[in-house]
Amino acid sequence: MTVDGSAAGAVPMLEGDAAIRAIGRLAARPGRLLVVCDFDGTLALGSRDPAAATVVPLARRALRRLARISAARPERAVVAILTGRTSADVAARVRVGGITYLGDHGLQSGTFPRGGDPARIRTTFRAGHEASLAPAEVLATRVPDVLGRPAWLFVERKGPSVAFHVRQAEDRAAARAAVEAAIAEVDAESPPHDLAHYRGRLVVDLRPRTAGGKREAFEALLADLQPATVVAFGDDSSDADGFAVLRAARAGGVLDGLAVGVTGPHGMPDEVRDAADVLLETARDVGRALAALARVLERER
């Protein structure tokens, strides 16, 4: 059964305060609660400059409360940030110790102690993709040259992956097409590689073909932690993959939980809306929902 008493897989679409109340009620369920959050557009307000993204203060405070609960009662609550950014990058922006930072859509995993320095994060990388390091660096270097190094382009190097962000362009569709054409030009001059396009609206993300993405990362989280309840927050196409895993597990009676779509300033892809159970408008609303979860868990002490 779900939070409102309806059958699993048949959660009505709730929004705003009603959605936050439904999310908060999940924390009262017995067993381990797993909270999974995307970063950009979910914990951070949307920004045209990827380097300027900052976590909403309310969300950070709520995450610290949840991290404190997790440290005292790991069997009761666990928090993970699942993002396309590197683990080190997002840890430096969130600055909450005692939670897991899954970077590059799950290819990286890092953590640092509560009260510790995020710059000292211990990050591990999933093995098996070392052959993609060199071609990713070639693309990161050559694509901007082919494009004439436009001011709107932001290149994110992630080891065996590379992402080209176009959100600062005036015409994002044209910018995305230009990036894809430049990648094809560089590829035509380079040895074959295993990098392939991954999902995203305002970014051209190239990752090892066999690396999987948020779907596989979410599946691994569920298998490893075996939570009784899951709340997942996200706003982009890649998050819809994680939502699908949650909803399938719920429909199979494995767990209960909610997929929370966040609209954000750029709107929400239809596939995210279709995969979500409830909707929130902004990262500030995500902070309120996280605080609602923490409030219920704190009452148990």
Side-chain angles (χ1 to χ4, degrees), residues 24-190:
R25 287 195 294 271
L26 281 172
R29 295 298 181 88
R32 175 179 283 158
L33 168 68
L34 170 62
V35 180
V36 183
C37 295
D38 179 38
F39 179 73
D40 291 278
T42 300
L43 291 174
L45 297 173
S47 171
R48 293 196 67 180
D49 181 1
T54 58
V55 65
V56 170
L58 176 59
R60 174 184 284 139
R61 290 194 296 271
L63 287 171
R64 284 180 173 154
R65 292 166 64 186
L66 289 168
R68 188 184 315 116
I69 294 164
S70 180
R73 294 179 286 155
E75 78 289 349
R76 189 65 180 93
V78 179
V79 180
I81 309 299
L82 178 55
T83 173
R85 292 178 181 264
T86 66
S87 296
D89 178 273
V90 75
R93 296 175 191 278
V94 175
R95 302 186 66 83
V96 176
I99 65 178
T100 299
Y101 294 92
L102 298 172
D104 196 4
H105 308 286
L107 269 182
Q108 305 176 15
S109 178
T111 188
F112 64 96
R114 290 179 56 234
D117 182 357
R120 300 175 68 87
I121 186 173
R122 299 186 301 276
T123 302
T124 59
F125 296 79
R126 195 189 310 161
H129 305 293
E130 293 78 8
S132 293
L133 290 167
E137 181 57 31
V138 169
L139 286 162
T141 301
R142 289 282 296 119
V143 165
D145 289 340
V146 170
L147 291 171
R149 297 195 170 272
W152 49 259
L153 182 65
F154 181 86
V155 180
E156 184 182 13
R157 288 170 163 87
K158 299 185 281 188
S161 306
V162 59
F164 301 94
H165 295 264
V166 302
R167 69 181 64 211
Q168 296 184 81
E170 291 302 319
D171 186 338
R172 294 166 182 164
R176 186 184 182 94
V179 168
E180 291 173 345
I183 290 170
E185 181 176 331
V186 174
D187 280 347
E189 304 167 350
S190 306

